[in-house]
Amino acid sequence: MLKNYFKIAIAVLKRRKFFTFISLFGIAFTLTILIVATAFVDNAVSANYPEANRDRSLYINMLEQRNPEKGYSMNGPMSYHYASTYISTLKTPEKVALGTMFTPTNTYVANKKLVIDLKLTNAEFWDVMQFHFLEGKPYGQQQIANSELVAVISEETKQEYFGDVASVVGKTIETDNVKYKVMGVVKSVPVTMLVSYADMYVPYTASKTNLKTKSYNGMFMAVLMGRTKADLPKMKAEYASVVAKVPPGDAEMKQVISHADKYLESFVRSSPLRGKDGPNMSMLYLVLVVFVLLFMLLPTLNLVNINISRIMERSSEIGVRKAFGASSGTLIGQFVVENLILTAIGTVIGVALSFFVLQYINSSGMIANIHLTINFTVLLYSVIACIVFGLLSGVYPAWRMSRLQVVAALKA
Amino acid sequence: MIQLKQIEKTYRTDTIETLALNGINLNIAKGEFLSIMGPSGCGKSTLLNIMGLLDAPSSGEVLIDGQQTTHLSDKALARFRNQKIGFIFQSFHLINDLKVLDNVELPLLYRNISAKERTELAKEALVKVGLSNRMKHFPAQLSGGQKQRVAIARAIVGKPELILADEPTGNLDSAMGNEIMELLLHLNEVDGATIVMVTHDETMAKKTHRLVRLFDGSQVNDHALKPMYA
Ligand SMILES: Nc1ncnc2c1ncn2[C@@H]1O[C@H](COP(=O)(O)OP(=O)(O)O)[C@@H](O)[C@H]1O
Ligand SMILES: [Mg+2]
């Protein structure tokens, strides 16, 4: 029986090449976009290199100051002054990493301009982040205390600045007219890892301007690492109680607002999805699910349409099958199976296409240092979703068709 | 084999009501070859469809092998058609996407038999209609007469007791039409199939056991032409 369904399904697909192409394209394309998009999200959200301790860490990316009476507000990363006074002094975290947002700096190699994204960090940054050192080692308290001009650079920067040399530890790298001594080389980080990405890392004491300001707002973000995942609520509560007592940092401002959040929460908080009481994670998931469903609805409707017209075209076949003993139920079964075959082919093409697209993105260097992989959970769910939509898009037309009167079907 | 009692069929559209059949009573015996004649639009196809359980009468009863069919479910009707009836249509109604052999196998798909057995039975039926050398062809590669022979093979593959043929030679030239007629006669005489055939061709009708004439939905004439089992 299934073999016969298969025969007729393939025959029908071959007969209507254009419609088949549109259907397959719709399914495959939708699936590819879903898989590639989730590969990006997955890459950005999951505890990838070097943020392997993300599960037991909280992120403090923002500090907001408000004056509710006058309607002023100021929002952004923090100053070193604020971070060292109110964050580094927290008791519950095992370690507190501080690092600036990366700033592009210019350097010239053989008369060619090279942009180096620079990040200033404290020493604990290297304990919280699990960087893979290809050579050398990170700077520590001593270099920080002495304001030494030392740097850890990425593998990519080593290649671009020094070229093909075996070792660069001890060599000098100059950018924005400052000379640094290379202490270590790390495996490159993709730019999607906002907190840990840079081309070059230097002690925060290397830049005096960052330290002088007494304002609360500045360039620093912080990562609190607990001993275990269980420390997260304690760390969150401690920071909340500290922030509640922070005096206004500016004469114009009355309130200081800042939160220690889990990684994903910290982004949702600064997005339109923030609820009244902070990031609304269930809202985020709801939005994502609705988005995915809507996204898949298009090819489904398209399939429904195509199926209806295809089925009407086959009214003689329907009449004949009924006349020779197919019940309505059997016919619905046949058409749904046919549609599933179509969906399955589309799914296979979609998965293959995603694979190639991801390979291409990884190897083209379109996004520096990124390594996207297919998320197998997502793949599984997408395939299930495809099958469900395949069923749905087949059932309605099949049902309409099965209600066709034999006599009418044979006349048409 | 088939009993029709007081069959009426009314078609209703928004504007008009057509009385297609008006009080038809008919008894068809096992092994009989019956032809139905009458002007176009007099209700021949409607009658045949009702006999074949493809359409329900507005009132009256259809009994097949003594069994009431009025209140059968869609599924039961389907099984009934599958087991007992084989249809032959004027315009063949072969499935163009399927090869001849697959077309002939079609009624067996709705029975519980193995693929191997299906193929054997289909080949056997194709031998009977003289088309065993066209099994792997598609319908589009056949002549009209050949197509109708495939359709006959499909109608007989399940060895139904009753074959219903609605103008089986209507789309064929007379030579091909005669071939088909010979085949039907053979099926009736040799294999003992009960056949009801709608036709416009008086000479063909004359070759059957019995002729029923319809006019405007009513039965105007019913006479035996030759004795059965002559
Ligand atoms: N589905 C239908 N809807 C409305 N009227 C129909 C339908 N089918 C047949 N009729 C009408 O019923 C009458 C008998 O039709 P039919 O049985 O096809 O005639 P015949 O086969 O003898 O030419 C005709 O008047 C025809 O117009
Ligand atoms: Mg007719």
Side-chain angles (χ1 to χ4, degrees), chain B residues 46-62:
Chain B
T46 306
L47 183 62
L48 209 67
N49 291 337
I50 287 173
M51 276 186 209
L53 307 177
L54 296 180
D55 205 354
S58 308
S59 70
E61 294 175 0
V62 180

Side-chain angles (χ1 to χ4, degrees), chain B residues 112-125:
Chain B
N112 236 341
I113 57 177
S114 71
K116 198 167 155 247
E117 202 179 335
R118 278 203 304 264
T119 311
E120 271 167 27
L121 288 170
K123 283 182 181 168
E124 215 174 277

